[in-house]
């Protein structure tokens, strides 16, 4: 029964976080912030009852990291580390899980390199791990029959991780060259990431 309750709360927490991420640009900022708070409250309860689950920990860390954008200075200095701490904890428990590595990469890429340059190696390690997983899956003969069905997913995932690394480097003028190298790898046919990558390329190409 406890597991069922945790699963339900986890799904609800994911829903509120996903809603905030999807509606960030179109919804009222107060509503987005409220949705993130609901997500954190639910996920915090889940972590209390199932602290050893690395995926739950990673999603909780993602919500905390996203919430830091709503916190004002100087409190953000302390609050901004809570999400990464949880994400690092999740990866340490299941470092070969590509989903968890992707969650950390997505979150860490939003931290400005000027102040969080120490995240660079972590971001590059996650990038390398995810691409290794993609290549490994594609090159495994047993997966060849399934590959046609999933090829678009892997192509999109490859574009996504290139975008996130490019985003991190684009946050600092001295890293525009590195940002450009990653952003240029995003395929123009990718509807989710190409337009944003193109906008960033304009910035880093000046």
């Amino acid at each position: 029964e406890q597991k069922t309750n945790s699963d339900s709360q986890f799904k609800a927490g994911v829903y509120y976080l996903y809603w905030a991420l999807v509606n960030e640009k179109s919804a009222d900022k107060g509503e987005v912030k409220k949705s993130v708070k609901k997500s954190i409250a639910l996920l915090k309860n889940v972590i209390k009852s199932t602290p050893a689950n690395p995926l739950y920990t990673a999603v909780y860390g993602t919500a905390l990291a996203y919430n830091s954008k709503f916190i004002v200075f100087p409190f953000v200095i302390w609050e901004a580390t809570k999400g990464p701490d949880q994400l690092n904890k999740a990866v340490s428990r299941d470092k070969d899980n590509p989903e968890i590595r992707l969650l950390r990469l997505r979150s860490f890429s939003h931290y400005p390199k000027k102040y969080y340059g120490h995240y660079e190696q972590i971001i590059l390690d996650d990038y390398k791990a995810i691409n290794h997983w993609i290549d490994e899956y594609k090159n495994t003969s047993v997966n060849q029959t399934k590959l046609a069905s999933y090829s678009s997913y892997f192509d999109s995932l490859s574009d996504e991780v290139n975008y996130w690394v490019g985003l991190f480097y684009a946050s600092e003028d001295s890293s525009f060259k590195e940002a450009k190298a990653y952003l240029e790898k995003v395929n123009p046919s990718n509807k989710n990431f190409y337009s944003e990558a193109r906008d960033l390329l304009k910035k880093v190409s000046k």
Side-chain angles (χ1 to χ4, degrees):
E1 184 179 346
Q2 185 180 17
K3 185 179 185 302
T4 302
N5 186 47
S6 293
D7 287 344
S8 297
Q9 288 194 77
F10 175 71
K11 289 176 182 177
V14 169
Y15 167 79
Y16 284 116
L17 177 59
Y18 181 75
W19 186 93
L21 291 167
V22 170
N23 294 285
E24 178 183 5
K25 294 180 180 178
S26 59
D28 176 76
K29 184 178 179 180
E31 290 301 312
V32 174
K33 183 178 179 180
K34 189 185 299 183
S35 190
V36 178
K37 292 290 186 183
K38 287 180 180 179
S39 174
I40 289 173
L42 287 161
L43 294 170
K44 187 175 183 179
N45 286 335
V46 172
I47 295 300
K48 285 180 179 178
S49 59
T50 52
N53 188 306
L55 179 59
Y56 289 0
T57 302
V59 176
Y60 178 51
T62 300
L64 289 172
Y66 183 61
N67 186 58
S68 65
K69 71 183 299 177
F70 301 109
I71 301 171
V72 298
F73 184 84
F75 306 105
V76 68
I77 296 174
W78 297 281
E79 292 294 327
T81 62
K82 291 182 178 180
D85 286 348
Q86 293 295 323
L87 284 156
N88 287 335
K89 187 185 296 183
V91 172
S92 69
R93 290 173 177 166
D94 194 3
K95 65 182 178 65
D96 296 321
N97 187 320
E99 185 176 10
I100 291 174
R101 299 294 285 262
L102 180 59
L103 285 170
R104 184 169 71 171
L105 174 58
R106 283 173 177 163
S107 294
F108 278 35
S109 69
H110 286 83
Y111 285 76
K113 184 173 179 287
K114 180 179 180 180
Y115 303 109
Y116 297 92
H118 54 291
Y119 287 172
E120 179 179 8
Q121 192 56 54
I122 295 173
I123 288 170
L124 294 177
D125 286 346
D126 287 343
Y127 175 85
K128 182 179 179 181
I130 294 165
N131 277 303
H132 174 74
W133 172 67
I134 293 172
D135 291 339
E136 189 176 56
Y137 190 93
K138 284 184 174 181
N139 294 326
T140 303
S141 58
V142 72
N143 293 322
Q144 292 305 307
T145 55
K146 298 180 181 179
L147 192 57
S149 304
Y150 294 108
S151 61
S152 61
Y153 166 74
F154 287 116
D155 289 343
S156 180
L157 181 58
S158 181
D159 287 335
E160 180 180 352
V161 295
N162 278 306
Y163 172 75
W164 293 131
V165 179
L167 177 67
F168 177 73
Y169 281 123
S171 66
E172 187 174 44
D173 294 359
S174 62
S175 299
F176 278 3
K177 182 179 179 181
E178 289 85 351
K180 187 177 180 181
Y182 285 97
L183 294 169
E184 286 180 338
K185 295 178 183 179
V186 179
N187 195 307
S189 65
N190 190 305
K191 296 179 181 179
N192 295 320
F193 292 97
Y194 180 68
S195 61
E196 294 188 30
R198 182 188 58 204
D199 291 342
L200 276 179
L201 272 171
K202 291 177 182 177
K203 171 186 173 183
V204 303
S205 299
K206 290 180 179 179

